[in-house]
Short mmCIF file of all heavy atoms in Angstrom, two decimals:
data_model
loop_
_atom_site.label_atom_id
_atom_site.label_comp_id
_atom_site.label_asym_id
_atom_site.label_seq_id
_atom_site.Cartn_x
_atom_site.Cartn_y
_atom_site.Cartn_z
N PHE Z 181 127.47 138.22 86.76
CA PHE Z 181 126.99 139.20 87.74
C PHE Z 181 126.48 140.45 87.02
O PHE Z 181 125.39 140.96 87.34
CB PHE Z 181 128.14 139.56 88.69
CG PHE Z 181 127.83 140.67 89.64
CD1 PHE Z 181 127.07 140.46 90.76
CD2 PHE Z 181 128.33 141.95 89.40
CE1 PHE Z 181 126.79 141.50 91.64
CE2 PHE Z 181 128.05 142.99 90.26
CZ PHE Z 181 127.28 142.76 91.38
N GLY Z 182 127.24 140.95 86.06
CA GLY Z 182 126.83 142.14 85.32
C GLY Z 182 125.56 141.92 84.52
O GLY Z 182 124.69 142.79 84.47
N LYS Z 183 125.45 140.75 83.90
CA LYS Z 183 124.25 140.45 83.11
C LYS Z 183 123.00 140.36 84.00
O LYS Z 183 121.95 140.88 83.66
CB LYS Z 183 124.42 139.13 82.36
CG LYS Z 183 125.39 139.22 81.21
CD LYS Z 183 125.56 137.85 80.55
CE LYS Z 183 126.59 137.89 79.44
NZ LYS Z 183 126.81 136.55 78.85
N VAL Z 184 123.16 139.71 85.16
CA VAL Z 184 122.01 139.57 86.07
C VAL Z 184 121.57 140.93 86.59
O VAL Z 184 120.37 141.26 86.58
CB VAL Z 184 122.35 138.61 87.23
CG1 VAL Z 184 121.31 138.69 88.33
CG2 VAL Z 184 122.47 137.19 86.72
N PHE Z 185 122.51 141.75 87.02
CA PHE Z 185 122.14 143.06 87.55
C PHE Z 185 121.62 143.97 86.44
O PHE Z 185 120.72 144.78 86.68
CB PHE Z 185 123.31 143.69 88.31
CG PHE Z 185 123.29 143.32 89.76
CD1 PHE Z 185 123.76 142.09 90.17
CD2 PHE Z 185 122.77 144.19 90.69
CE1 PHE Z 185 123.73 141.74 91.50
CE2 PHE Z 185 122.73 143.85 92.03
CZ PHE Z 185 123.21 142.62 92.44
N GLY Z 186 122.16 143.85 85.24
CA GLY Z 186 121.62 144.61 84.12
C GLY Z 186 120.18 144.21 83.84
O GLY Z 186 119.31 145.07 83.60
N ALA Z 187 119.91 142.91 83.89
CA ALA Z 187 118.54 142.43 83.65
C ALA Z 187 117.59 142.88 84.77
O ALA Z 187 116.46 143.29 84.50
CB ALA Z 187 118.53 140.91 83.54
N VAL Z 188 118.06 142.83 86.00
CA VAL Z 188 117.22 143.24 87.12
C VAL Z 188 116.87 144.73 87.01
O VAL Z 188 115.70 145.12 87.17
CB VAL Z 188 117.91 142.94 88.48
CG1 VAL Z 188 117.22 143.65 89.63
CG2 VAL Z 188 117.95 141.44 88.72
N PHE Z 189 117.86 145.55 86.72
CA PHE Z 189 117.58 146.98 86.59
C PHE Z 189 116.75 147.28 85.33
O PHE Z 189 115.98 148.25 85.32
CB PHE Z 189 118.87 147.80 86.62
CG PHE Z 189 119.36 148.05 88.01
CD1 PHE Z 189 120.42 147.33 88.53
CD2 PHE Z 189 118.76 149.00 88.82
CE1 PHE Z 189 120.87 147.55 89.81
CE2 PHE Z 189 119.19 149.23 90.10
CZ PHE Z 189 120.26 148.50 90.61
N SER Z 190 116.88 146.47 84.30
CA SER Z 190 116.03 146.63 83.11
C SER Z 190 114.57 146.34 83.46
O SER Z 190 113.66 147.08 83.06
CB SER Z 190 116.47 145.69 82.00
OG SER Z 190 117.75 146.02 81.55
N LEU Z 191 114.34 145.27 84.21
CA LEU Z 191 112.97 144.95 84.64
C LEU Z 191 112.42 146.02 85.57
O LEU Z 191 111.24 146.39 85.49
CB LEU Z 191 112.94 143.58 85.33
CG LEU Z 191 113.19 142.38 84.42
CD1 LEU Z 191 113.27 141.10 85.24
CD2 LEU Z 191 112.09 142.28 83.37
N LEU Z 192 113.27 146.53 86.45
CA LEU Z 192 112.84 147.61 87.33
C LEU Z 192 112.47 148.86 86.51
O LEU Z 192 111.46 149.51 86.78
CB LEU Z 192 113.95 147.94 88.34
CG LEU Z 192 113.66 149.08 89.31
CD1 LEU Z 192 112.48 148.74 90.22
CD2 LEU Z 192 114.90 149.39 90.13
#
Side-chain angles (χ1 to χ4, degrees):
F181 173 78
K183 288 177 183 177
V184 167
F185 270 80
V188 166
F189 278 103
S190 295
L191 291 174
L192 179 63

